[in-house]
Amino acid sequence: MATTPPPTTTKSETQPARSVLRDTAFLRLWAGTTASGLATWALPFVLGLAVLHRDLGAAGLGLVLAARTAGFLVAVAVGGVLADRHSRRAVVLWSALAAAVAAPLLAAGLGRSLVLMTAAAALAGAGQGACRPAFQALTAETVAPDRRQQANAAMTMAVRSSTLAGPALTALLAAFLDIGTLLLGIGLLWLIAALVPAKATTTTDPATDPAPRAGFRAEFLEGIREARRHPWFLAGLAALVAVIALGYSATSVALPLISRDRYDTQWVLAAAMTAYTVGALAGALVIARWRPRSQGWAAFAGLAAYGFAPLSLMLPVHPLVVVAAYAVAGIGIELFNVPWFTATQREVAPDKLARVSSLDFLVSYGLAPLGLALMAPAIDTFGVTTVLGACAAACFLVPAAAALTPTARHFARPAPTTTD
């Protein structure tokens, strides 16, 4: 089994491990990852404010966001190969700098050139996509194996906290700053993501490997072959497709409609989304220290909990039930995410980790727009209750089936047996 080798250390094996939050290298990586996550979240929100201020039309907003998504999908595959071929730190640096350069270009095109804004958004998406797998691989390089689950939980807590507090903070800033200045602030966040993380020192840098490299296509296919060596990983991707492309897409389209038509208030929409984020924070806190005996089964059970969200929307329940269902879904999603990232960093061959991580992001992000595009026509054709019921069933059943896959119970290949 190919696993990430533990870093060399001079400490006694009996000495308790120091908290990852006291590790300067990790804190720098955490700050860079948090800044990139906040910048990624902030861009569509700020562009939405530009629509409200009539600096950008609704059609223009759709075009710009589509360009960003396209740039991301292309770059995430390329970034995975580059991060395994070269220094992961260098890939983070140049991809984040590309996203930083895109911010002033967006500000320059605002209200003047939709073509410039579209090109800048594609560049921003490319920078975001290229740095995602590199950040995942850097975490494995920076943090010792026994502290990675805590590290991944800290990463996701930072992202969820930004999602929770970000809208209010951005709206407050918008009262004093114009949209162009807010876009420049996003560029500053990307500069932090580029410059703050330290170079990892716990493993060999891929750039120092003297072995000749294959072509891009061959290396990308090599990453796919590595992913296929881990049945639990392929099963997890299938479960993610069901939850994201079906469950998440269905609730994204249906929640605003049901909040308006059934409950006659936007309060349910706001409360449910807030409960989801708060639940995710709680889930990250729990999984930072909880080590279930069958971590794969526990993770798939958490992922399946998202099914309660579409299930609550299809039933004539009190709005507090909807809010509670979203909180449960948020808890469950992090009970899956953190062990999933940790297992990938542990089980995948270190020199192929970025490419396998890029497949994760490619599937997760790539199928979400397709699901969103098809969900509204499906609701118009079959009705919202039928669609929500089918998506809820998929959220429950597909992770359950994935949990039956060999190696899924522990998110690990069985240790080879030895004979005397």
Side-chain angles (χ1 to χ4, degrees), residues 191-372:
L191 280 177
I192 294 173
L195 301 176
V196 168
K199 182 172 179 172
T201 59
T202 58
T203 60
T204 303
D205 193 320
T208 64
D209 187 359
R213 310 295 305 201
F216 173 87
R217 180 176 178 274
E219 290 203 354
F220 183 76
L221 293 176
E222 190 178 65
I224 294 177
R225 286 193 293 271
E226 172 65 21
R228 292 174 60 186
R229 290 182 57 246
H230 307 279
W232 62 267
F233 183 83
L234 298 182
L237 283 184
L240 281 171
V241 168
V243 172
I244 294 175
L246 296 177
Y248 183 80
S249 297
T251 54
S252 296
V253 174
L255 178 60
L257 299 176
I258 291 174
S259 180
R260 181 196 65 193
D261 298 338
R262 180 187 300 168
Y263 301 108
D264 194 27
T265 177
Q266 295 302 308
W267 174 86
V268 177
L269 170 62
M273 297 308 299
T274 302
Y276 179 80
T277 303
V278 172
L281 278 170
L285 280 171
V286 169
I287 203 62
R289 295 191 176 276
W290 182 40
R291 301 294 187 272
R293 177 171 296 181
S294 301
Q295 65 167 339
W297 285 359
F300 280 124
L303 186 62
Y306 193 89
F308 289 111
L311 184 63
S312 70
L313 295 178
M314 65 179 290
L315 301 174
V317 296
H318 192 278
L320 289 180
V321 176
V322 176
V323 175
Y326 269 80
V328 170
I331 293 171
I333 205 70
E334 293 307 338
L335 294 183
F336 174 84
N337 279 340
V338 174
W340 169 259
F341 290 138
T342 305
T344 303
Q345 293 159 356
R346 181 188 67 242
E347 297 295 319
V348 172
D351 62 330
K352 302 177 182 67
L353 176 56
R355 278 169 284 178
V356 173
S357 295
S358 73
L359 292 175
D360 181 6
F361 291 115
L362 192 62
V363 170
S364 301
Y365 285 84
L367 293 177
L370 179 61
L372 288 170

Side-chain angles (χ1 to χ4, degrees), residues 25 88-89 137-143 197-205:
R88 276 85 183 251
R89 180 65 188 87
L138 264 180
T139 301
E141 289 186 0
T142 304
V143 181
K199 182 172 179 172
T201 59
T202 58
T203 60
T204 303
D205 193 320

